[in-house]
Amino acid sequence: MFGYYFDLARRSLIRSPILTAMMVLAIGLGIGASMTMLTVLHVMSGDPIPEHSGQLYYPHLDARPLSSKDDKNAPDPSANLSWIDASNLLRAHQGDRQAAMAGGSVLVRPAQTSLRPFFETGHYITADFFPMFDVPFRTGGGWTQVQDEQHERVVVLNGDLARKLFGDTSATGKIVRLQDTDFRVIGVLNDWYPQPAFYGDTSGHAFGKTDEFFLPLTTAMDLKFDSNGNMSCWGSGGDQRTSGECTWLQFWVSLDGPTKVHAYQQFLEDYWRQQQAHGRFARPVDAKLYGLLAWLDHMQLVPGDVRLQLWLALGFLAVCMVNIVGLLLAKFLRRSGEVSVRRALGARRRDIFLQFGVESAVIGVAGGLLGLGIAQLGLWSVRHRPDDYAHLAQMDVSMLLGTLVLAIVASVLAGLLPAWRACRITPALQLKTQ
Amino acid sequence: MQIQPVLAALRRHRLATILIAMEIALACAVLCNACFLIASRIQMTHVDSGVDESFLATIKLTGYDEAKASDLNARVTSGLREIPGMQSVSVINEVPFGETAGNAGITLDSAGQKFAGVVDFYVAGPGNFEALGLQLISGRAPRADDFQPMKAFLPSSANVIVSRSLAEHLWPDTDPLGKEFWCGDFHFRVTGVVAHLARPSAGEGGPGTIEWSVFTPAQPGANLSGVYLLRADPAQLPRVLRDARAAIAKLAPDAVVEQQASQTIGDLRQVYFRQDRIMAGMLLGVIVALLLVTALGIVGLASFWVQQRRRQIGIRRAIGATRGDILRYFQTENFLIVTSGIALGMLLAYALNLLLMTQYELPRLPLYYLPAGALILWGLGQLAVLGPALRAAAVPPVVATWSG
């Protein structure tokens, strides 16, 4: 039966090529625009490390005084931890693994004279970072907690920087000069650029190749390396880096299973109360433990412009849908005679309904294919934008299939009302007036 | 033209009529808001920086030893002045559309109680006021003794020049000359007002704060070094900047030129507003596609109606209606449908604007966008219906005699 309806649909669509082309164009444009923006949203809110995101958690404490107000235009100070709190959580060692970190930018002074000194961004981290995030090494490895405590001058390079400095030769064991200090390269990463760079301060740059080196946080503190994330202070005086009144560090903990998560949550609340007893943490106890994806959601990585564009595209799709409903209505009602004959010959209402449903779906498939092309064009233009997420704008298989499914669903939905009207045509009346 | 018969006919095609009216309403809502978004983006890119942009370029150095900053300033400024075509070289902390260096909150009392907003401090050595080409509207330009030594990121007490926009914000309806304000322990006294001076990073705290800038004269030194403002004739500026970058390698081998920050002000402006231009272009694309699709819908349904009513048209022609009557019939029909769509669309446009205002920092939709959107949609409707209506007018009276 479907084959027959499909053939009917094909004949009917070919009979009025202009109307068919209009409908396919309308659905193609609507689907193309929507899928372009949905794909951008999809790649921006993807899971950066699918194998481990279930075990990674971000503790959220708020050491600010009551007087500090939230500012919509500034990054949230309570998203980060102060040095004192980060050190306390590290020392408490209540998770399976835990690491504190901060982004930074240093001047790399290459040994070879052909390269001028240049700035590179990276992260200052503690030892558990590498095993906790299962960071892939090409050669060498990370460092130990003992080396952290000894403030050793070691560094792990990411793929691009290692290639830039040492070409194809192995970088491990070589010396790199950062600012005015020599560091020993103990490992090279296998081009590890998770998108977004979830572990760092995502209020700034979260996409693109953000980190080319990793060195011990303690060493960076020693050498007074600049951090480049958001630093928010509310007290005054003293060294901002070691103060309990300046937040600038990110902290991650891995917890295996709900019991450990619950225990850690409990630990955070106890910690809050204990700090209150010491005269810190003026606010009522409200310790939170975010899962990785919940944390990224909380940080709102998708810029306002992208969300605005998505809403525009969906609004556009809505206009296209209304348009197709009108065109299908015209198309189906024009065939009242044909419907009457079929009904008089014994076709039931549901047969007519199905026939027109199939016809709508055929338009949907054609529109979906056109929409796929338009979406590829749209993504190509997104990739040429200057934004840091631009290079991510690629369709994967799920979005590819999603495009076709959305097109078919949209066109069948648009066909419902016209098909319903068509199947209510009274055969006798129509045949009489013919 | 009588409206009565048109309305009677529309009542028999209620569903199709409602569909077109709805499409027009949605299109009207999106059209008005998208046009408004484009206009506000474009207005943003037209901000007046208040400086002679086409004459100016900047060079930013980093990586040098802070202790040798004064020496670096001397080497770079005297060295770069040697470049042919260079009109002036001066030390400054930031430039319009470059990286922000001097953002800070200020108060109108020394105790720090009366908070007056976050402003931007241009900390500038001698020569910058003239090089920037700032337009003084009251008070005086900085004098030689206004350039005080730096204490941390500002001089501890300074005679400053503010923009008119900031003066009106801080002291509405009073003469700003001689007024004082504070930033922590730093103290400032206003000695001049300039017409415009945009801060490097526009828009923090909303578009209204873009010109909240303070021009602070100071002596170059350890806390004021590394950023240089170059002035040259616009025709020679690209070459002068190229030469300057090349000269830095010899003048300051210990320093690193920050490539992205070392540009002409014109180029920095281009980069700064690239995002807004892209967004405006994309909105324009949406509008064009939207109008196209709406027109397609009108053409499709109107064609269907014309075909469906061929016989009635024939009868009307046979009993005396002219081609013009038929043409006007379909035009009137379209006008009525579009008008009802616009009426609903204006409400929708307003609701969408309220929604956008809660999500994004947008002002209220100015009312004149609504009639403008209505005019566009009326025009679009008439244009789209013209083809089918002409075909209807061409139906010969003899059709009336055909059966079926």
Side-chain angles (χ1 to χ4, degrees):
Chain A
M1 215 42 164
F2 265 105
Y4 175 57
Y5 290 153
F6 183 77
D7 192 47
L8 280 182
R10 194 179 56 81
R11 281 164 191 275
S12 134
L13 292 176
I14 289 174
R15 210 177 309 135
S16 48
I18 295 180
L19 196 63
T20 308
M22 280 182 186
M23 287 191 282
V24 171
L25 184 63
I27 204 153
L29 282 172
I31 294 290
S34 310
M35 287 314 291
T36 302
M37 292 326 296
L38 280 174
T39 303
V40 170
L41 194 75
H42 173 74
V43 294
M44 289 185 81
S45 43
D47 188 341
I49 45 169
E51 305 88 40
H52 302 283
S53 56
Q55 290 107 51
L56 294 172
Y57 291 88
Y58 193 97
H60 183 270
L61 302 172
D62 194 351
R64 289 180 297 166
L66 290 165
S67 61
S68 164
K69 289 189 189 69
D70 291 327
D71 181 357
K72 220 169 42 157
N73 291 313
D76 176 17
S78 70
N80 300 322
L81 293 181
S82 68
W83 171 251
I84 291 186
D85 294 315
S87 310
N88 287 341
L89 294 191
L90 267 184
R91 259 198 306 276
H93 220 277
Q94 294 289 310
D96 296 335
R97 288 198 167 102
Q98 48 261 303
M101 62 208 72
S105 168
V106 300
L107 189 63
V108 183
R109 298 182 188 276
Q112 60 273 55
T113 44
S114 58
L115 272 176
R116 299 266 304 154
F118 57 93
F119 275 94
E120 195 60 86
T121 54
H123 254 76
Y124 315 134
I125 57 176
T126 56
D128 272 358
F129 182 95
F130 298 111
M132 181 163 68
F133 296 141
D134 197 16
V135 180
F137 278 89
R138 184 179 301 146
T139 55
W143 57 84
T144 63
Q145 275 170 30
V146 179
Q147 285 173 296
D148 260 343
E149 280 153 25
Q150 290 168 348
H151 305 203
E152 282 205 14
R153 286 161 189 199
V154 291
V155 66
V156 168
L157 302 183
N158 214 338
D160 276 1
L161 183 58
R163 269 188 296 275
K164 186 169 179 180
L165 291 176
F166 301 105
D168 294 331
T169 58
S170 167
T172 314
K174 297 248 171 62
I175 299 294
V176 180
R177 195 161 178 81
L178 304 176
Q179 302 283 63
D180 299 311
T181 310
D182 285 336
F183 283 77
R184 184 163 50 88
V185 180
I186 56 167
V188 176
L189 301 186
N190 202 0
D191 291 316
W192 188 66
Y193 303 101
Q195 298 296 320
F198 62 94
Y199 48 86
D201 178 359
T202 48
S203 63
H205 281 281
F207 296 93
K209 294 187 171 179
T210 50
D211 289 314
E212 289 296 346
F213 66 84
F214 298 87
L215 56 89
L217 178 63
T218 47
T219 312
M221 299 276 284
D222 261 6
L223 298 169
K224 296 204 165 22
F225 280 2
D226 287 331
S227 67
N228 62 1
N230 174 45
M231 181 179 275
S232 302
C233 298
W234 50 89
S236 55
D239 185 358
Q240 297 184 326
R241 297 157 151 272
T242 51
S243 146
E245 297 177 320
C246 285
T247 57
W248 60 291
L249 292 153
Q250 293 80 48
F251 194 91
W252 288 92
V253 52
S254 79
L255 301 164
D256 192 8
T259 13
K260 284 184 179 172
V261 174
H262 186 75
Y264 202 87
Q265 171 78 35
Q266 197 59 48
F267 157 71
L268 285 177
E269 284 165 19
D270 291 345
Y271 176 77
W272 195 305
R273 279 186 212 102
Q274 180 200 336
Q275 292 299 311
Q276 280 178 331
H278 287 91
R280 298 182 67 222
F281 284 66
R283 302 187 172 211
V285 178
D286 182 27
K288 295 194 190 83
L289 191 58
Y290 287 93
L292 189 149
L293 291 178
W295 177 247
L296 294 182
D297 194 39
H298 174 73
M299 291 303 282
Q300 291 201 330
L301 297 194
V302 181
D305 268 5
V306 171
R307 273 181 292 139
L308 185 62
Q309 286 164 19
L310 177 67
W311 284 114
L312 265 174
L314 291 179
F316 179 54
L317 180 62
V319 173
C320 290
M321 294 262 296
V322 174
N323 184 32
I324 293 160
V325 175
L327 293 179
L328 281 177
L329 191 70
K331 190 161 178 51
F332 291 168
L333 290 187
R334 194 184 282 186
R335 282 152 62 195
S336 302
E338 175 195 329
V339 174
S340 312
V341 174
R342 283 203 65 210
R343 291 273 279 129
L345 291 178
R348 290 160 301 176
R349 278 193 177 160
R350 81 167 80 131
D351 296 322
I352 305 291
F353 195 76
L354 197 62
Q355 180 199 340
F356 287 133
V358 169
E359 195 167 327
S360 313
V362 170
I363 294 172
V365 172
L369 288 176
L370 179 67
L372 211 55
I374 293 177
Q376 294 299 345
L377 213 64
L379 289 172
W380 174 83
S381 80
V382 170
R383 282 198 291 277
H384 284 75
R385 289 185 192 175
D387 301 295
D388 54 0
Y389 60 81
H391 68 284
L392 290 173
Q394 300 271 8
M395 265 200 187
D396 53 14
V397 179
S398 65
M399 292 312 277
L400 219 71
L401 293 177
T403 308
L404 285 178
V405 171
L406 181 66
I408 295 172
V409 168
S411 63
V412 169
L413 271 181
L416 279 184
L417 183 70
W420 178 72
R421 282 300 291 256
C423 74
R424 277 172 36 111
I425 288 170
T426 348
L429 205 65
Q430 282 292 332
L431 286 175
K432 210 170 80 188
T433 58
Q434 287 288 312
Chain B
M1 187 78 217
Q2 278 189 315
I3 292 181
Q4 215 60 42
V6 182
L7 287 177
L10 283 181
R11 228 169 279 141
R12 288 183 46 89
H13 297 277
R14 231 171 282 142
L15 191 57
T17 309
I18 291 174
L19 281 174
I20 294 203
M22 253 175 68
E23 199 182 332
I24 295 282
L26 281 174
C28 180
V30 177
L31 180 73
C32 289
N33 281 287
C35 282
F36 180 48
L37 284 173
I38 292 183
S40 44
R41 291 282 167 143
I42 289 184
Q43 195 190 4
M44 226 186 270
T45 65
H46 283 295
V47 65
D48 184 353
S49 64
V51 306
D52 293 342
E53 286 173 27
S54 57
F55 287 84
L56 299 172
T58 181
I59 285 210
K60 185 171 185 194
L61 303 181
T62 44
Y64 53 86
D65 186 355
E66 294 270 315
K68 293 181 194 153
S70 293
D71 173 52
L72 179 86
N73 281 339
R75 266 184 289 150
V76 171
T77 49
S78 64
L80 292 184
R81 278 181 196 133
E82 302 294 311
I83 293 173
M86 184 77 79
Q87 292 174 354
S88 76
V89 179
S90 43
V91 189
I92 197 166
N93 70 330
E94 58 185 12
V95 294
F97 312 114
E99 286 165 39
T100 304
N103 250 350
I106 57 165
T107 55
L108 289 176
D109 59 338
S110 57
Q113 295 301 311
K114 280 192 239 158
F115 182 70
V118 176
V119 304
D120 197 273
F121 288 93
Y122 279 94
V123 185
N128 280 301
F129 191 83
E130 298 75 18
L132 286 169
L134 294 174
Q135 191 198 343
L136 200 65
I137 54 171
S138 71
R140 58 171 177 82
R143 286 193 306 241
D145 59 344
D146 286 333
F147 293 90
Q148 298 291 315
M150 295 281 281
K151 182 183 166 245
F153 84 115
L154 288 164
S156 56
S157 179
N159 290 330
V160 298
I161 289 155
V162 297
S163 71
R164 172 162 45 194
S165 158
L166 180 61
E168 281 167 3
H169 161 69
L170 294 178
W171 305 284
D173 302 323
T174 35
D175 182 11
L177 293 181
K179 292 278 193 298
E180 294 169 289
F181 62 92
W182 285 262
C183 168
D185 296 334
F186 300 100
H187 165 253
F188 306 93
R189 181 187 302 276
V190 178
T191 56
V193 180
V194 288
H196 295 283
L197 180 54
R199 56 207 285 178
S201 256
E204 298 150 39
T209 65
I210 178 154
E211 287 195 36
W212 288 11
S213 334
V214 179
F215 183 92
T216 318
Q219 277 176 20
N223 286 310
L224 180 56
S225 63
V227 183
Y228 304 94
L229 183 74
L230 320 180
R231 185 178 171 109
D233 189 69
Q236 301 197 36
L237 190 63
R239 197 257 315 154
V240 167
L241 179 62
R242 250 193 331 273
D243 289 357
R245 283 170 153 211
I248 291 289
K250 289 193 208 76
L251 293 168
D254 49 337
V256 181
V257 179
E258 278 202 19
Q259 301 294 342
Q260 282 186 333
S262 303
Q263 309 266 355
T264 65
I265 305 297
D267 287 346
L268 287 177
R269 187 188 180 114
Q270 287 285 321
V271 172
Y272 190 87
F273 288 116
R274 193 156 53 177
Q275 186 71 45
D276 294 295
R277 281 200 309 276
I278 287 174
M279 188 72 187
M282 130 119 208
L283 286 167
L284 198 66
V286 167
I287 290 176
V288 170
L290 190 73
L291 293 182
L292 179 75
V293 167
T294 309
L296 284 186
I298 293 174
V299 170
L301 269 189
S303 305
F304 167 61
W305 278 339
V306 170
Q307 201 190 25
Q308 205 183 29
R309 299 175 191 166
R310 271 178 76 82
R311 193 134 173 267
Q312 287 90 326
I313 296 169
I315 294 172
R316 282 200 63 199
R317 290 296 315 277
I319 58 174
T322 61
R323 281 167 193 264
D325 288 334
I326 304 294
L327 187 68
R328 273 192 297 280
Y329 175 88
F330 281 97
Q331 286 173 334
T332 311
E333 187 183 66
N334 179 271
F335 182 80
L336 289 177
I337 300 176
V338 172
T339 305
S340 63
I342 287 171
L344 181 64
M346 287 186 174
L347 292 179
L348 273 181
Y350 203 67
L352 185 62
N353 176 240
L354 288 183
L355 186 76
L356 287 175
M357 273 166 63
T358 61
Q359 296 288 314
Y360 305 93
E361 276 172 31
L362 266 183
R364 188 166 294 254
L365 184 73
L367 282 179
Y368 61 84
Y369 274 86
L370 298 177
L375 274 183
I376 292 177
L377 288 171
W378 270 318
L380 182 81
Q382 290 300 316
L383 213 62
V385 86
L386 192 63
L390 281 175
R391 240 175 299 137
V395 171
V398 71
V399 171
T401 62
W402 297 351
S403 63

